[in-house]
Amino acid sequence: MRQFSLTNENIVEIIDIVKEHISESKLQKENKIQLAIYFEEMLIIYKNRFGENCNVRLEVTRRFRRTGIKCSIEGPAFNPLEMKDEDDSNILKRMLSLSGMAPSWDYSNGENILEILLKKKSVSQPAAIGIAIAAAVVSGVLVRFFPASARQYLSENVISPVNDAFLGLIVAFAIPMIFFSVLGGLCGIGDRNTFNRIGKSLLWRYVYMTVILTIFAGILIFPFFSFNSVGEAAQSGDFFSGVLLLVLGIVPGNIIEAFIQGNTIQIIFIAVVIGIVLITLGSRGNKVVGLIMQMNDLFYSIMDIINSIIPVYIFICLFNMLIGDKLEGIVDALKMVLLGSLLFVPIVILYTILVRIRTGIPLKTIIKNLMPGCFITLTTASSAAALTTCKENCINGFNVDKKFVGFALPLGQSLYNLNYSILYFCLLMGMTEIYNYSVSPIWIVSAVIVCILTGMATPPVPGGAMSCIAMLFTQMGIPGDAMAMAMPIAMILDFPTGGIKMFAIQSEIVIMAKKMNLIGSKKQNS
């Protein structure tokens, strides 16, 4: 622990110390840079407010086996995380939160305490899942030498109960995570004036473009899957009455029952209603909003822990499939990967044409400024890692108003989850074919709605999609064993669909900025 005064020279020294500690973490390079910049901006804010003679203590903490960096600044209570005018600070805060490092502020004993917990080093999830799959295959082959009766007993009385317990654990925490993710995203829009002036248009745009493009993707891939004819359960009532019942079913008869049953659509509906009410309350709802954001960070942290045991769950699922001769659909899984990856091309072309038509910006400029952030996500499967590049290209490449980008980019990152909606629909169609489910028109409509809403509610953090897939399969009646195939496929598709998301978000920002006259008069480079 060291103590400094807040002079410019000491701030530089503090940041050098911070860089030393984060250099050993498993953070991506972009996140390390963001973290250093964030601490520097916070210290400058405190220096400007309290003066250079203000004392600050820097210490490294340990909590739940995670290293943290804590700055304690003497002075009256002042929370820089709630500042509305510091656009750079707010977007950096959002980037860090999406990377699993939510900054926290507290006031105790006359000190403002800023702390961030760093990610601890561990095996990357793709590597861990690869190890789990290999271990399951080896174990499954060895168990094949056991008598059939022993394998059946092991599957039904040992593996299946453990499998069900793991699935129950994931779904149990996925329900509140989805609820607080939607609430947190809406509360992050800002006050009522900001919502009416900018947030409402952006939110509506993100919602209906998610619906349109998910349906577009569904139309492209649906013919490649084969299904049984309509089952008896799907014959009740005609199509229109079924759609009406589906729409009316969005409104829960009982709030608590919606959470108990894990009804995704109803949970999202409740979160949206509460979020809109909190926005209209303005400053009167600040305490509730603060609590919601803390609960949001809490469940992100919980899901990060659960995410670390998902490879174990995949091992159990795949092992159970191997000893139970349930591997007929593994070859079909390759079709989901291929179709989901190929969707990148038509959607990127469609958005490029749309930006060109709506803004008049030359195609060369569009590609030059939209592709770098998209490429980062394509190669890392991390949209959070691309946020800094996307921000710079929107501001400098397209000359979009800085404040608008600082508002629209984090909002899009949180709520414009087109990638997840497409990913979920690919998985649901594939698993329905593999498990030979009968479908009807109303079932397809229901599947599209559930995929869209679950996708929009998926928090863009590690483990968010995995948990939502478990919840989606549970609601649509897909067996838990399907998770063994679904999760590796989802991780592969996270690369191309993540690229779609970042291309789409930047495109929407440019289109909306043009519509609102928020693109500067400086001539675009051609």
Side-chain angles (χ1 to χ4, degrees):
M1 181 174 62
R2 298 182 60 181
Q3 184 162 322
F4 304 85
S5 59
L6 276 180
T7 63
N8 291 332
E9 294 78 8
N10 286 343
I11 290 176
V12 172
E13 185 177 352
I14 291 172
I15 299 306
D16 287 339
I17 296 173
V18 169
K19 289 178 180 178
E20 287 182 19
H21 288 295
I22 65 176
S23 63
E24 297 300 322
S25 66
K26 70 167 188 174
L27 301 176
Q28 295 180 355
K29 181 180 178 181
E30 293 85 356
N31 295 140
K32 293 179 180 180
I33 295 172
Q34 291 164 4
L35 184 60
I37 293 174
Y38 183 78
F39 265 109
E40 184 176 14
E41 290 200 0
M42 292 299 100
L43 292 175
I44 291 173
I45 290 172
Y46 274 112
K47 186 199 77 169
N48 294 337
R49 192 172 186 91
F50 297 152
E52 292 186 349
N53 294 327
C54 171
N55 292 323
V56 56
R57 287 186 295 109
L58 178 69
E59 55 186 311
V60 178
T61 61
R62 294 282 293 176
R63 186 180 302 171
F64 301 114
R65 294 167 54 189
R66 291 179 64 181
T67 300
I69 299 176
K70 182 166 73 172
C71 285
S72 303
I73 302 99
E74 292 181 357
F78 171 67
N79 184 1
L81 304 184
E82 294 182 351
M83 293 182 67
K84 300 297 183 185
D85 298 329
E86 297 294 329
D87 299 291
D88 289 338
S89 300
N90 282 330
I91 193 171
L92 277 169
K93 175 180 178 290
R94 187 61 186 161
M95 290 176 185
L96 293 172
S97 297
L98 294 171
S99 302
M101 300 181 296
S104 65
W105 174 87
D106 192 18
Y107 188 74
S108 177
N109 299 323
E111 292 181 329
N112 296 275
I113 301 173
L114 288 172
E115 184 176 15
I116 291 181
L117 291 177
L118 306 178
K119 289 183 178 180
K120 59 184 179 181
K121 281 195 171 183
S122 61
V123 178
S124 67
Q125 191 177 62
I129 288 181
I131 294 171
I133 292 174
V137 171
V138 172
S139 302
V141 170
L142 293 176
V143 172
R144 299 294 298 176
F145 293 100
F146 289 16
S149 58
R151 295 202 310 270
Q152 182 178 1
Y153 179 86
L154 180 64
S155 175
E156 294 178 356
N157 297 286
V158 180
I159 304 299
S160 291
V162 175
N163 181 22
D164 293 341
F166 264 94
L167 182 61
L169 175 68
I170 294 171
V171 173
F173 284 102
I175 292 172
M177 181 190 68
I178 288 176
F179 176 74
F180 285 108
S181 175
V182 175
L183 259 182
L186 289 172
C187 292
I189 290 176
D191 55 32
R192 183 168 51 188
N193 292 332
T194 304
F195 177 70
N196 290 332
R197 181 168 51 89
I198 301 176
K200 188 187 297 183
S201 298
L202 275 173
L203 184 60
W204 173 240
R205 177 83 184 182
Y206 289 150
V207 169
Y208 80 70
M209 287 304 294
T210 299
V211 174
I212 291 172
L213 290 175
T214 303
I215 294 175
F216 172 70
I219 292 172
L220 290 179
I221 67 172
F222 188 80
F224 294 93
F225 295 99
S226 59
F227 308 101
N228 285 339
S229 58
V230 179
E232 294 181 3
Q235 301 259 13
S236 58
D238 58 26
F239 176 75
F240 294 105
S241 64
V243 172
L244 179 61
L245 289 174
L246 181 64
V247 172
L248 294 177
I250 293 176
V251 181
N254 185 302
I255 292 179
I256 297 176
E257 188 175 324
F259 285 89
I260 293 175
Q261 294 179 348
N263 190 310
T264 308
I265 297 177
Q266 293 181 351
I267 290 170
I268 294 172
F269 176 82
I270 295 169
V272 169
V273 171
I274 294 175
I276 292 175
V277 170
L278 285 172
I279 290 173
T280 59
L281 285 175
S283 59
R284 290 177 294 170
N286 282 349
K287 290 186 178 179
V288 178
V289 170
L291 177 61
I292 287 170
M293 301 307 285
Q294 290 177 5
M295 293 298 294
N296 196 22
D297 291 338
L298 170 65
F299 279 101
Y300 278 8
S301 299
I302 292 174
M303 291 312 303
D304 192 38
I305 296 172
I306 293 178
N307 188 43
S308 65
I309 63 174
I310 280 180
V312 178
Y313 177 62
I314 291 177
F315 168 83
I316 293 172
C317 289
L318 186 56
F319 180 66
N320 197 32
M321 293 173 69
L322 283 163
I323 64 177
D325 297 322
K326 302 175 183 177
L327 291 177
E328 299 86 355
I330 281 189
V331 175
D332 294 332
L334 297 175
K335 181 165 64 177
M336 286 181 269
V337 173
L338 180 62
L339 291 174
S341 299
L342 289 177
L343 284 172
F344 174 83
V345 177
I347 293 179
V348 165
I349 292 175
L350 185 65
Y351 253 120
T352 301
I353 296 172
L354 188 61
V355 174
R356 171 65 179 146
I357 293 174
R358 296 293 297 273
T359 66
I361 298 173
L363 285 175
K364 181 179 178 181
T365 303
I366 294 172
I367 299 299
K368 176 183 176 182
N369 290 291
L370 293 186
M371 283 308 297
C374 175
F375 182 75
I376 291 174
T377 309
L378 275 172
T379 54
T380 65
S382 172
S383 54
L387 284 177
T388 301
T389 300
C390 293
K391 175 190 172 186
E392 292 174 354
N393 287 336
C394 286
I395 294 172
N396 300 323
F398 292 107
N399 203 24
V400 178
D401 181 78
K402 181 179 179 181
K403 290 185 178 180
F404 180 75
V405 175
F407 176 84
L409 187 57
L411 182 67
Q413 172 69 1
S414 300
L415 298 179
Y416 194 21
N417 291 332
L418 170 66
N419 56 324
Y420 291 133
S421 299
I422 293 174
L423 188 153
Y424 296 157
F425 190 78
C426 285
L427 288 176
L428 197 57
M429 290 298 99
M431 295 304 167
T432 301
E433 180 184 52
I434 289 171
Y435 285 90
N436 205 27
Y437 271 41
S438 297
V439 302
S440 67
I442 187 60
W443 187 93
I444 295 171
V445 172
S446 176
V448 171
I449 293 174
V450 172
C451 287
I452 289 172
L453 292 179
T454 305
M456 292 170 61
T458 302
V461 295
M466 301 299 180
S467 305
C468 289
I469 290 169
M471 194 170 173
L472 175 69
F473 282 8
T474 299
Q475 179 154 345
M476 299 305 296
I478 305 297
D481 285 346
M483 296 291 289
M485 283 188 287
M487 288 190 175
I489 293 171
M491 293 193 67
I492 295 171
L493 288 181
D494 205 21
F495 290 86
T497 58
I500 290 173
K501 170 175 179 169
M502 293 316 298
F503 198 93
I505 290 176
Q506 295 175 92
S507 299
E508 291 297 343
I509 289 174
V510 176
I511 292 171
M512 291 300 293
K514 181 67 175 180
K515 181 180 179 180
M516 297 178 179
N517 294 319
L518 294 173
I519 292 183
S521 58
K522 185 175 67 176
K523 184 179 179 180
Q524 303 295 335
N525 295 323
S526 57

